């Protein structure tokens, strides 16, 4: 069986998303907490907003040189420092090099727990999920992806 990348985006199950309950951010974030990293000194206000938000997944879109890598690096460190399990964090980027760089930088900022965060490219993550759950959506696990 062959799956074209354009076909992947046709697969959606909105009811599974609506059943997910985000944790209450108010009980997760206490403004009086002490962190090892001085986030307020290292980040601008837009970066700080992205780093400290605990309202679920975060998509960072910004121009070249605006600090996206820095923001995501500090966000990973903040989440881990906050006590969120590295296994519960997924960092996706467009290149493997960028993903590895961000996790490495986060580990240097905080500690080696950041290296246990799942990271990779959007494509590799999507491929692994499709392979893992192929039978659930009617595909054989030995499918081929053609990218045109």
């Amino acid at each position: 069986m062959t799956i074209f990348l354009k076909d992947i985006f046709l697969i959606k199950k909105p009811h599974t998303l609506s059943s997910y309950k985000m944790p209450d951010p108010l009980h997760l974030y206490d403004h009086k907490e002490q962190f090892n990293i001085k986030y307020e000194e290292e980040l601008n206000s837009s970066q700080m907003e992205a780093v400290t938000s605990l309202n679920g997944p975060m998509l960072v879109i910004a121009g070249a040189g605006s600090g996206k890598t820095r923001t995501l690096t500090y966000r990973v460190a903040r989440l881990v420092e906050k006590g969120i399990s590295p296994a519960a964090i997924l960092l996706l980027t467009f290149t493997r090099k960028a993903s590895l760089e961000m996790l490495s930088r986060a580990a240097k900022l905080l500690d080696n727990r950041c290296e246990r965060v799942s990271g990779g490219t959007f494509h590799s993550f999507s491929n692994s999920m499709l392979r893992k759950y192929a039978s659930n959506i009617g595909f054989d696990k030995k499918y081929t992806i053609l990218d045109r």
Side-chain angles (χ1 to χ4, degrees), residues 37-65:
I37 299 169
K38 304 293 184 213
Y39 297 95
E40 301 82 9
E41 296 173 14
E42 300 291 329
L43 304 168
N44 67 35
S45 61
S46 296
Q47 292 170 329
M48 190 67 181
E49 181 182 355
V51 167
T52 59
S53 172
L54 291 174
N55 289 327
M58 177 68 62
L59 176 63
V60 175
I61 302 173

Side-chain angles (χ1 to χ4, degrees), residues 43-92:
L43 304 168
N44 67 35
S45 61
S46 296
Q47 292 170 329
M48 190 67 181
E49 181 182 355
V51 167
T52 59
S53 172
L54 291 174
N55 289 327
M58 177 68 62
L59 176 63
V60 175
I61 302 173
S66 60
K68 292 180 300 295
T69 299
R70 181 180 187 80
T71 301
L72 292 173
T73 299
Y74 275 81
R75 180 166 170 83
V76 166
R78 176 76 171 225
L79 291 170
V80 171
E81 194 171 16
K82 182 78 182 134
I84 294 173
S85 168
I89 301 170
L90 175 63
L91 176 66
L92 297 177

Side-chain angles (χ1 to χ4, degrees), residues 90-133:
L90 175 63
L91 176 66
L92 297 177
T93 65
F94 286 102
T95 67
R96 175 179 286 163
K97 181 181 176 186
S99 175
L100 294 173
E101 178 68 21
M102 282 187 239
L103 296 176
S104 172
R105 286 186 195 181
K108 288 176 187 170
L109 274 174
L110 187 60
D111 57 46
N112 67 347
R113 290 176 294 169
C114 295
E115 294 173 347
R116 294 193 301 269
V117 169
S118 296
T121 66
F122 291 100
H123 294 102
S124 66
F125 175 75
S126 298
N127 183 45
S128 66
M129 290 296 103
L130 282 171
R131 293 234 184 259
K132 185 174 182 177
Y133 298 107

